[in-house]
Amino acid sequence: MATTSAHATAAAEPHHEPSFVRKYIFSTDHKVIGIQFLFMSLFFLLIGGLLAGVIRWQLGWPTNPDMPLPGGGLLPETMVNQGIVLPEFYNSAVTMHGTIMIFFAIMPLLVGVYANYLIPLQIGAPDMAFPKLNMASFWTAAPAGVIMLAGFFVAGGHSGAGWTQYPPLSANPEFSGVYMGQQLWLISMIVLGFSSLMGAVNYVTTVINMRAPGMTWFRLPLATWALFVTAVLILLAVPVLTGALILLLFDQTIGTTFFSPEYGGEPLLWQHLFWFFGHPEVYILILPAMGFVSEIIAAGSRKPIFGYHAMVLAIIAIAFLGWGVWGHHMFQSGMNPTLGMGFMATTMVIAVPSAIKVFNWLATMWRGDLHFHTPMLHAVAFVGMFVIGGLSGVFVASTPVDIFLHDTYFVVAHIHYVLFGGSLFALYAAITFWYPKMFGRMMNPLLGKLHFWLTVLFFNLTFFPMHNLGIAGMMRRIYDPNQYEFLRPMQELNTMISIAALLLIGTQLIFAFNFFWSLFRGEPAPANPWRANSLEWAAPSPPPHGNFARTPVVYRGPYEYSSPLSVEDYLPQDDPPAEGPEPVPAPATSH
Amino acid sequence: MTMDSADVAVESTHKKPNYMAVFVGLAVLTLVEVGVAFLGLGRVTTILVLVGLAVWKAVLVALYYMHLRFEPPRLIIMVVAPLPLAFILVLAVLTEF
Amino acid sequence: MDHSAAMTLEGGPVEPGMGVPNLKLGMWVFLLSEVMFFTALIGSYIILRAAQPEAFAEPGVVLNVPLTAFNTFLLICSSVTMVKAFAAIEHGDQKGLRLWLLATVAMGACFLGVQAYEYVKLVDHGFVPFAAGYAAEGGALYGATFYTMTGFHGAHVTIGVLALIWITVRAFMGKYTRASHGGVETMGLYWHFVDLVWIILFTIVYLI
Amino acid sequence: MPWLPAQVSTFGGEIDSIFYIILVITGIIFLLVEATLLWFAFRYRHREGRKAEHIHGNWKVEVIWTTIPFIIVIALGAMSFGPWARIKMLGRFPAPGLEIGVMASQFEWMVTYPGADGRLGTDDDFQRRNQVHIPVAQPILVHLSAEDVIHSFFLPHFRVKQDAVPGMDNQVVWFEATEPGEYELACAELCGTGHTRMRGTLVVHSAADFETWYEGATQTAN
Ligand code: HEA
Ligand code: HEA
Ligand code: CUA
Ligand SMILES: [Cu+2]
């Protein structure tokens, strides 16, 4: 093992103890920033989960005075009246559940946390290319979150136009009754876009320019590959959203009419711009997850990842094809149906690289030596559930079938299988996997497994039946399905789903407890608890400022598990080869 | 790790382009553009010619002022990579209207 | 730390990195995202114009083309002075660097001045971004797209001028040398990009 | 478990059969993948003395498992083209037996029927709020529009869904009922606070019934 020395600094500056503020609040250390993002996005995950609770409460017992919303009394009467969720608040709850989960929970968890934390460690760099910019990225995201939350407290309530914000509903307060909330939503998203952008510039530059000697492109761990490609997607997709948001904000505030038809604006233009960003966005939300899962399945199987090059190519193919499919969200929107055909074709094709990834994960497990620790459980469950979400995507990709399934709960089921079954399960895997590295303590494995099994159970009980609701025609974003006769027979199932969902939300408290309890009481973690190969495990847990005592030198790919060359069943990337010429170590510093 | 350390990297020793010549080219092209716009060549021709001239100017700026001509090929590839995306977006949506 | 030291590992030379300094690479990466940002704005304009041709006026009817042609010329001049400043410091010519930078700042500021004058004149003619009170030829979309595109370009110029002032101050403090002038080069990339966007905008918005 | 609502339009059957084909294909893939996953998880779980095999991959199998899904998805796409074109492409619409206008607004459907002259847009047109009446076995052409925000014209039993976009006046939908009866018209696009109650009724009459209703309606309209 290369480095476990106690005081380590590869940075050129003399080491002096920084003040508390510099160390934990305005820190430029990529690890501290990653952890800041972690706490922030877990907080938002909780908020998003609570909003899901509101949604499910209403749908389980619609407008039922005998089942007042627990805690509803704490909310103002413009949201919840005598325990009954009002339709305005329901729309805000759905909108904000989607917005918060996607932009303030999952995206920062995947990218803000792990691109920051992992990239420098996995490529053997002391920090990001632009540490100050990195700090600015977090300190832009945090105010964006505050602005977003502020929307709940202004007169008129928060935006209720769905996370997709289709104008004219979102453009004109006359139609929605929402004034300030809508504007705060837009401003917050613009600010958040800047944060993402600063992050992305940093990640791309860092991966290109700061790799340790020997860390060639095809020796990068798949997590870093995925995060790199994700950063490129963010870089190119987010500015398009920012542009569109600005136009919408002008429509809202100064009376332009880009998207409002009275003066010639085009509502569909928004949808094109939004989904041109939006579809790459959903791959932003899955690619890092796929990267983490690749790391964890390889380490958990004690086997090299099957088809490393194919995996890399698949990541690139998904990212590339992802730009040409946005219209599949607009098949029924009034978009030219011929264009729809083209989008159907590209959408179908994009299933192929995902197939490659799924089969390679399976092949990695084949003839392995599977250790089912908590991260591995989550990673394997990811594969199982991402497949369900992906396959339901194929239904809606078929234009005629989408005529019926569009904007029904079938799509809601699809979303949650890819985003919860996919991204969030991968995140639970990642959090439990890298927790020892981040905090120097192990999470409790028993609680971890309990959380895992209950989550798998309740997750599937909640979301699998939603496919049926959609197939039976239940629309999304409706406050009270019982208004429709053909939906009334489904109330029982809806109630069942709600009970499962509430149990699911409750189960997450086990995770929260485990997370905080282990911070203080967890067993101290060794440098490499999972006996994994990539460079982050060569640094101490937690790694000091500057990460490595000496710039690591990389001799091989990241997945040399059970190699015949080693006695152990793993072979770290920086372990010098037993024989052959001793490579020249890099100069620790050039000036 | 400081950013300045990178500055030390030795500049590649390429021949300096004639910046003034590029400038004159840009100025002349601008004049031609304004002329073409009011020549009354017909809508489609005018648009094609003007777009062609604008792209020509943009390429001049990128190649010489931004030194793209003298950068490593991988940087050039990286830089032109997003352009197809821009085209896909605009062209696909244009078929709509 | 410097990773540029050539290494020989397992036979072949292994040198990660683009061969371009971080700062410059970072600027290029950032400019890629700017391309997509302006794509959203300019693309919207193209699409709206194709969808509602009657909402837009012929070139020269509302907008003052000669004035803006002059402004375009100013920006082109500022690009050449910028690149001259860079060429100067590449040869260690401090005086040249300072003078050319000052010239660039001056012309950038002039560009903004002319744009402000143009806006005032246009608003006087009832060419405003919002639908209420729009009184010029074409329709409200014309004003909205015009001000959004040129406005965001103007914002980029403003940021550029402020950054240039900072660079100029540093130049007068003697912070750039023949060996180390990444700041000037990176600033130049941004400035030329802003010029490049204007070249496209001028053609599409004023001439077509 | 809730399932597809009864199907009463001429093209609904086509949509359903594509749905079932995809269901069978993805169902098989689903079972195979999940079964393999569980089998591997069980078969290769850690046991004392087990060592994983050091296998890096195999390009041959990569090609196989790239090609097969590719062929499947292309087939699914190809299968979907025809029905999509028949249902949504203007040029392929059948000659209408009845043309009506539907204007969506917050939160109602205003249905315009041609008067005695059988043409829309003339003085004798008459309107019904949230009530669509149509004859069975006749292609119906609906001119969709929206007044304020986007709504979506959703007839679950007919497998019809089309957004009504304000400012777009050329939206048309067609369908043909195979069964008389009373069905529901839903709004499928979030359109504001009242989205949930933007419900209409669609009554499919037998040919004779429709004549009677139409007579009556034109009488009261004038
Ligand atoms: C992480 C996020 C994520 C991911 C990865 C995906 C992946 C996919 N999505 Fe999904 N999607 C969303 C998030 C995501 N989606 C969201 C949030 C929405 C709703 C937005 C809204 O309106 O609010 C949405 C909506 C959505 C729609 C619009 C539905 C509608 O509104 O009518 C469509 C339509 O084509 C679609 C398709 C697909 C397809 C084809 C994939 C493919 O990439 C899936 C590929 C994967 C597989 C197919 C499984 C693995 C493969 C195999 C096991 C091999 C064998 C398979 C075959 C041969 C088929 N998605
Ligand atoms: C990643 C994204 C994500 C996640 C995780 C979820 C999670 C859940 N969602 Fe979903 N949902 C969306 C994204 C997501 N959702 C989107 C994009 C939409 C569309 C919005 C729109 O239409 O505009 C949507 C819409 C949506 C609807 C449709 C509403 C409608 O159309 O009317 C429903 C209804 O049941 C629903 C339910 C749920 C439930 C019960 C959960 C549960 O799984 C929630 C479980 C709870 C948690 C995951 C939180 C627990 C976390 C903690 C306790 C953290 C603790 C840790 C520490 C503090 C250390 N969601
Ligand atoms: Cu109208 Cu929803
Ligand atoms: Cu999509």
Side-chain angles (χ1 to χ4, degrees), chain A residues 42 45-46 49 52 55-56 59 90 94 97-98 101-102 106 162-163 409 412 415-416 419-420 424 463 466 476-478 501 504-505 508 511-512 515-516:
Chain A
L42 283 176
L45 185 67
L46 180 68
I55 296 173
R56 279 326 310 180
L59 292 174
Y90 181 84
V94 172
H97 165 69
M101 282 297 195
I102 287 189
I106 304 297
W163 82 282
Y409 265 69
V412 177
I415 305 181
H416 289 91
L419 280 171
F420 192 139
L424 192 52
F463 293 109
M466 286 193 190
R476 301 167 67 176
R477 298 165 168 178
I478 51 173
L504 175 63
I505 296 172
Q508 306 315 308
F511 177 79
F515 186 96
F516 288 112

Side-chain angles (χ1 to χ4, degrees), chain A residues 284-418:
Chain A
I284 290 169
L285 297 169
I286 204 70
L287 286 178
M290 291 173 159
F292 306 156
V293 163
S294 304
E295 300 289 284
I296 293 164
I297 288 192
S301 305
R302 315 309 299 156
K303 243 190 93 194
I305 196 90
F306 196 89
Y308 173 86
H309 287 81
M311 287 297 236
V312 172
L313 290 177
I315 293 176
I316 295 173
I318 292 176
F320 185 75
L321 294 172
W323 293 101
V325 303
W326 78 89
H328 66 211
H329 297 271
M330 300 173 60
F331 288 147
Q332 322 309 332
S333 70
M335 179 179 76
N336 180 344
T338 316
L339 201 55
M341 284 191 169
F343 281 122
M344 163 163 63
T346 50
T347 304
M348 287 289 177
V349 172
I350 210 166
V352 175
S354 297
I356 298 174
K357 303 212 68 113
V358 168
F359 296 139
N360 278 304
W361 287 318
L362 291 180
T364 304
M365 290 166 64
W366 172 68
R367 297 197 176 177
D369 171 24
L370 309 188
H371 291 250
F372 282 104
H373 38 61
T374 316
M376 180 69 171
L377 284 172
H378 282 287
V380 171
F382 165 94
V383 178
M385 285 182 298
F386 170 72
V387 168
I388 302 178
L391 292 175
S392 63
V394 175
F395 286 79
V396 277
S398 163
T399 43
V401 178
D402 185 66
I403 297 177
F404 183 65
L405 293 179
H406 173 64
D407 267 342
T408 64
Y409 265 69
F410 194 86
V411 177
V412 177
H414 167 67
I415 305 181
H416 289 91
Y417 266 95
V418 283

